[in-house]
C-alpha cells in the first residue's frame, strides 16, 4: 500500500460530534423550521473558531449587500435580486417593477382560474403544460409536488427534456381546446425548450387552433423582450422576468406562473411571504443563530476540513421529494466551480456533489452504502411535524424511521475513516409559507457558500459551453473540433 492511500484510509484524528462538547449550540429555530446540527462532526473549539472565521470573511455583510442590490454576479455584471421578488416593502430594490409584473401575473391567473379566460372555443382551461428546463422548470415542479391536492381542478404537466416519449405522454392526456401552454425560458434560446414549444404549437395547429386563436392557448415567460414575437404571440402574452434574477433562483417570479394557475394567488403569496420571512431572518440574526449561515458554515467545514465530497438530502415526506433535484441544480450549478470571479484557482474543495431521494425509500436502497460504505457524506434529513394526510399509523411509522435513521447514519466505529455528518431540518408543517422559507433557506446557504469558497454562484459557464457544443453537434460538427473552436474564440 502506498503511503498516500494508507493515509486516506486512516481515521481522521478527531471526528467528534458537536453535541459532545457544545450541546447548547446545536438547535436553532426560525420561520417554523428547527435546525439540529448536534450530529455535525466538529468540536466546540473548532465551531467557535469557524464562527469567527465566517465573521472575519464578512459573510453577513456580503449577504446583506446582495439583498440591497450590489452587483454580486461579477462575471455577468449583474445584481442577484431574487429576494426582491418576495419582498413586501417598497425599500426593496426594484420593488415597483416586481409588483407591477406580479399584478399582471395574478390578474391573468385569476381569470384562468375563475373561467373568464377560456380556450378559443369557450372551454375552461383544465390542463397547463409548462415547457421549460432547468431553472425554468425545477422550482415550479418542486412547489407543485409539495402543495398540490390529490385531485386538482387544474392539472400541471412539465415538459422539460427534449424526449419525444415525454411529449407524447403529455399530449395524449390533454385536450388542446382546454389546454394552456406556458413556454418558460429566461433566455428564450434554450434548444430543448424551442424544440418542445414548436412541437406543442404544431399539436395546437393540427387541432385547428391557429391564428389569433393560438393566443388563448399559449403564453411565454421570459427575460427576452422578443419572446412573444418569436412565438408569434401578442406582447400581452409575455410575462416578464429580469436578467438580475438567476434561473435557479427564479421560482418566485413569473416562472412560478404554472403554480399560481394551479394553486391560486393566495397560496403563492403565502409562499412568497415564507421566503421573505427567511430573508429577514438571514439578514438580521447573528451568525450563531442564523440558519442559512450555520448550514453554509458546516458545509464549508465538511468540504474543506472533513474530506467530505457529497451532500445527501433525505426528505421523509412525499411532498418534499422533488426538492432533491431542485437543490441539486441550485447547489451544483452555483458551486460546481474551481475558479473565482477573477479567474484564480480556488484552493481545496468547493461545492459538494448533491444527491438524495425520499428518505424512507432510500433506506431500502442506498442507506447500506451510507452506513457501511467507503464514503464520507454530509446529510440533511428533513421532515414535518404535521402529516399531510389522515393516516396516523403511516405518519407514526414514517417519523419513527426518520428519527431512528438520523442516529443510525452516524453510528459507526470510531476507528473508521468513513463517516457521516448529519443535520436534521424539521418543519412545523408543509404549508406554502414553510415551503417558501425552506427553499429560501437553501438559496441563502448556497449563495453564502459562494462567498466562503470565493466563487461566483450566479453564473454557469460549464453549462453554457455544453449548450454551444450541442448546437455544433446538431449542425454535424465533431464535438472535439467545436470544443477547439470554442476555446480559441
Ligand atoms: O430559462 P432558460 O434560459 O431556458 O435556461 C434554462 C436552463 O439552462 C441551462 O441549463 C442553465 O444552466 C440553467 O441555469 C437554466 O435554468
Amino acid at each position: 500500500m502506498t503511503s498516500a492511500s494508507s493515509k486516506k484510509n486512516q481515521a481522521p484524528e478527531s471526528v467528534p460530534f458537536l453535541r459532545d462538547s457544545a450541546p447548547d449550540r446545536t438547535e436553532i429555530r426560525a420561520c417554523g423550521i428547527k435546525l439540529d446540527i448536534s450530529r455535525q462532526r466538529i468540536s466546540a473549539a473548532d465551531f467557535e473558531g469557524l464562527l469567527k472565521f465566517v465573521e472575519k470573511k464578512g459573510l453577513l455583510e456580503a449577504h446583506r449587500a446582495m439583498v440591497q442590490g450590489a452587483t454580486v454576479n461579477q462575471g455577468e455584471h449583474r445584481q442577484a435580486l431574487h429576494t426582491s421578488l418576495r419582498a413586501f416593502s417598497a425599500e426593496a430594490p426594484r420593488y415597483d417593477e416586481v409588483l407591477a409584473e406580479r399584478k399582471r401575473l395574478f390578474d391573468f391567473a385569476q381569470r384562468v382560474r375563475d373561467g373568464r379566460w377560456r380556450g378559443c372555443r369557450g372551454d375552461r382551461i383544465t390542463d397547463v403544460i409548462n415547457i421549460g428546463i432547468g431553472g425554468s422548470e425545477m422550482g415550479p415542479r418542486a412547489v407543485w409536488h409539495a402543495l398540490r391536492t390529490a385531485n386538482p381542478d387544474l392539472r400541471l404537466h412539465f415538459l422539460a427534456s427534449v424526449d419525444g416519449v415525454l411529449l407524447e405522454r403529455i399530449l395524449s392526456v390533454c385536450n388542446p381546446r382546454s389546454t394552456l401552454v406556458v413556454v418558460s425560458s429566461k433566455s428564450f434560446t434554450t434548444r430543448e425548450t424551442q424544440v418542445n414549444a414548436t412541437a406543442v404549437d404544431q399539436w395546437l395547429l393540427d387541432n385547428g387552433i391557429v391564428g389569433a386563436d393560438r393566443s388563448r392557448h399559449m403564453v411565454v415567460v421570459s427575460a427576452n423582450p422578443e419572446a412573444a414575437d418569436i412565438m408569434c404571440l401578442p406582447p400581452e402574452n409575455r410575462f416578464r422576468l429580469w436578467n438580475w434574477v438567476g434561473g435557479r433562483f427564479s421560482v418566485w417570479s413569473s416562472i412560478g406562473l404554472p403554480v399560481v394557475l394551479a394553486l391560486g394567488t393566495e397560496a403563492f403569496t403565502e409562499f412568497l411571504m415564507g421566503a421573505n420571512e427567511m430573508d429577514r431572518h438571514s439578514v438580521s440574526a447573528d451568525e450563531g443563530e442564523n440558519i442559512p449561515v450555520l448550514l453554509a458554515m458546516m458545509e464549508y467545514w465538511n468540504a474543506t476540513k472533513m474530506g467530505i465530497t457529497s451532500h445527501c438530502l433525505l426528505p421523509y415526506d412525499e411532498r418534499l421529494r422533488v426538492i432533491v433535484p431542485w437543490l441539486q441544480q441550485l447547489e451544483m450549478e452555483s458551486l460546481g466551480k474551481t475558479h473565482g470571479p477573477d479567474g484564480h484557482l480556488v484552493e481545496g474543495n468547493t461545492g459538494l456533489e448533491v444527491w438524495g431521494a425520499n428518505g424512507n425509500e432510500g433506506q431500502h436502497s442506498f442507506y447500506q452504502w451510507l452506513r457501511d460504505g467507503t464514503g464520507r457524506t454530509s446529510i440533511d434529513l428533513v421532515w414535518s411535524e404535521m402529516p399531510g394526510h389522515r393516516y396516523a399509523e403511516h405518519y407514526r411509522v414514517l417519523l419513527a424511521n426518520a428519527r431512528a435513521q438520523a442516529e443510525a447514519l452516524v453510528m459507526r466505529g470510531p476507528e473508521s475513516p468513513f463517516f457521516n455528518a448529519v443535520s436534521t431540518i424539521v418543519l412545523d408543517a408543509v404549508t406554502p409559507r414553510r415551503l417558501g422559507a425552506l427553499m429560501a433557506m437553501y438559496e441563502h446557504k448556497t449563495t453564502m457558500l459562494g462567498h466562503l469558497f470565493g466563487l461566483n454562484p450566479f453564473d454557469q459557464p460549464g453549462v453554457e459551453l455544453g449548450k454551444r457544443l450541442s448546437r455544433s453537434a446538431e449542425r454535424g460538427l465533431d464535438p472535439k473540433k467545436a470544443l477547439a473552436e470554442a476555446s480559441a474564440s
Side-chain angles (χ1 to χ4, degrees):
M1 198 186 274
T2 67
S3 60
S5 66
S6 61
K7 191 161 184 223
K8 198 173 147 228
N9 282 330
Q10 275 166 15
E13 269 168 33
S14 124
V15 282
F17 291 107
L18 183 60
R19 64 185 174 194
D20 295 338
S21 51
D24 53 329
R25 286 299 229 165
T26 57
E27 197 181 290
I28 299 95
R29 290 168 192 255
C31 314
I33 294 177
K34 183 172 75 186
L35 169 69
D36 178 344
I37 52 172
S38 61
R39 299 177 190 85
Q40 286 294 329
R41 319 304 294 256
I42 189 166
S43 68
D46 283 336
F47 185 78
E48 297 305 329
L50 201 54
L51 274 173
K52 288 219 174 71
F53 165 79
V54 158
E55 274 170 40
K56 225 171 115 200
K57 273 266 193 181
L59 181 65
L60 274 182
E61 287 75 13
H63 179 63
R64 291 182 191 125
M66 176 191 81
V67 173
Q68 284 157 11
T71 306
V72 287
N73 180 355
Q74 304 94 337
E76 295 170 336
H77 308 290
R78 287 177 185 159
Q79 300 164 299
L81 278 174
H82 41 285
T83 45
S84 283
L85 299 171
R86 61 244 186 169
F88 291 87
S89 143
E91 277 166 30
R94 300 186 180 270
Y95 182 70
D96 293 345
E97 320 172 49
V98 169
L99 209 63
E101 198 58 16
R102 194 190 302 152
K103 187 176 175 327
R104 284 191 62 226
L105 193 83
F106 278 18
D107 285 350
F108 172 69
Q110 200 47 53
R111 279 157 68 209
V112 173
R113 284 174 62 77
D114 64 23
R116 277 176 294 150
W117 178 289
R118 291 177 178 241
C120 60
R121 311 274 193 276
D123 301 79
R124 268 188 98 125
I125 300 298
T126 56
D127 292 82
V128 173
I129 304 177
N130 186 80
I131 305 178
I133 198 163
S136 298
E137 185 250 2
M138 286 180 176
R141 187 154 62 89
V143 176
W144 173 236
H145 192 80
L147 302 177
R148 54 165 291 171
T149 54
N151 236 327
D153 293 336
L154 210 142
R155 290 178 295 269
L156 294 192
H157 310 271
F158 290 93
L159 179 52
S161 79
V162 65
D163 181 330
V165 171
L166 184 63
L167 173 73
E168 221 165 68
R169 286 185 184 170
I170 292 176
L171 295 186
S172 71
V173 295
C174 292
N175 175 351
R177 290 186 176 189
S178 57
T179 297
L180 178 73
V181 181
V182 180
V183 185
S184 263
S185 173
K186 181 179 163 188
S187 60
F188 229 73
T189 59
T190 303
R191 194 71 183 112
E192 291 88 334
T193 301
Q194 288 175 338
V195 173
N196 276 328
T198 307
V200 175
D201 203 15
Q202 185 63 45
W203 173 72
L204 293 176
L205 205 83
D206 294 344
N207 284 280
I209 299 174
V210 292
D213 284 352
R214 279 176 69 250
S215 63
R216 307 299 297 175
H217 292 271
M218 189 180 276
V219 294
V220 298
V221 176
S222 185
N224 184 336
E226 317 273 297
D229 242 22
I230 295 170
M231 293 310 296
C232 301
L233 291 167
E236 60 272 20
N237 280 37
R238 170 181 164 235
F239 294 99
R240 284 180 77 193
L241 171 70
W242 301 271
N243 279 330
W244 42 264
V245 178
R248 49 191 174 273
F249 300 86
S250 67
V251 62
W252 328 96
S253 70
S254 303
I255 291 289
L257 175 59
V259 245
V260 188
L261 286 164
L263 301 173
T265 55
E266 255 176 54
F268 196 74
T269 305
E270 281 283 312
F271 173 64
L272 299 180
M273 286 168 113
N276 178 255
E277 250 173 65
M278 181 54 75
D279 295 343
R280 284 182 285 126
H281 165 74
S282 72
V283 295
S284 60
D286 289 345
E287 286 84 348
E289 305 291 321
N290 190 311
I291 293 185
V293 169
L294 289 170
L295 287 171
M297 194 177 97
M298 289 319 308
E299 192 140 314
Y300 179 78
W301 171 259
N302 287 331
T304 58
K305 296 282 190 270
M306 290 283 101
I308 287 177
T309 54
S310 91
H311 179 75
C312 185
L313 174 58
L314 299 167
Y316 275 78
D317 193 305
E318 173 55 37
R319 294 167 293 180
L320 300 177
R321 179 191 290 272
V322 185
I323 290 292
V324 176
W326 171 80
L327 184 73
Q328 189 172 53
Q329 187 210 18
L330 177 67
E331 283 201 22
M332 293 179 83
E333 265 198 354
S334 302
L335 305 169
K337 292 160 196 169
T338 45
H339 289 79
D342 56 1
H344 78 278
L345 185 68
V346 175
E347 258 181 58
N349 287 347
T350 58
L352 304 186
E353 170 202 0
V354 178
W355 60 294
N358 173 299
N360 192 213
E361 289 169 8
Q363 278 174 241
H364 301 275
S365 162
F366 53 80
Y367 273 42
Q368 172 59 37
W369 181 88
L370 282 176
R371 283 222 53 220
D372 291 336
T374 52
R376 297 176 185 180
T377 307
S378 143
I379 298 173
D380 283 354
L381 278 120
V382 185
W383 68 82
S384 161
E385 274 164 356
M386 284 266 287
H389 55 78
R390 59 194 164 82
Y391 302 99
E393 182 66 355
H394 281 70
Y395 182 62
R396 197 181 64 77
V397 173
L398 186 69
L399 222 63
N401 271 286
R403 292 205 172 107
Q405 295 309 316
E407 212 44 50
L409 287 167
V410 292
M411 271 197 252
R412 205 162 174 168
E415 77 292 343
S416 173
F418 308 111
F419 58 89
N420 299 314
V422 171
S423 292
T424 63
I425 294 167
V426 182
L427 309 185
D428 59 8
V430 180
T431 55
R433 201 177 264 256
R434 298 304 182 231
L435 184 69
L438 182 77
M439 292 173 79
M441 174 194 88
Y442 277 125
E443 283 184 352
H444 296 324
K445 170 197 168 189
T446 303
T447 54
M448 287 174 179
L449 270 167
H451 182 77
L452 293 178
F453 286 133
L455 300 169
N456 174 8
F458 302 108
D459 63 359
Q460 54 286 321
V463 183
E464 269 144 34
L465 176 66
K467 276 185 173 177
R468 287 210 297 281
L469 295 192
S470 296
R471 278 186 182 270
S472 308
E474 257 193 72
R475 293 200 308 273
L477 262 184
D478 171 11
K480 269 197 219 135
K481 255 197 196 143
L483 180 61
E485 276 175 26
S487 333
S489 67

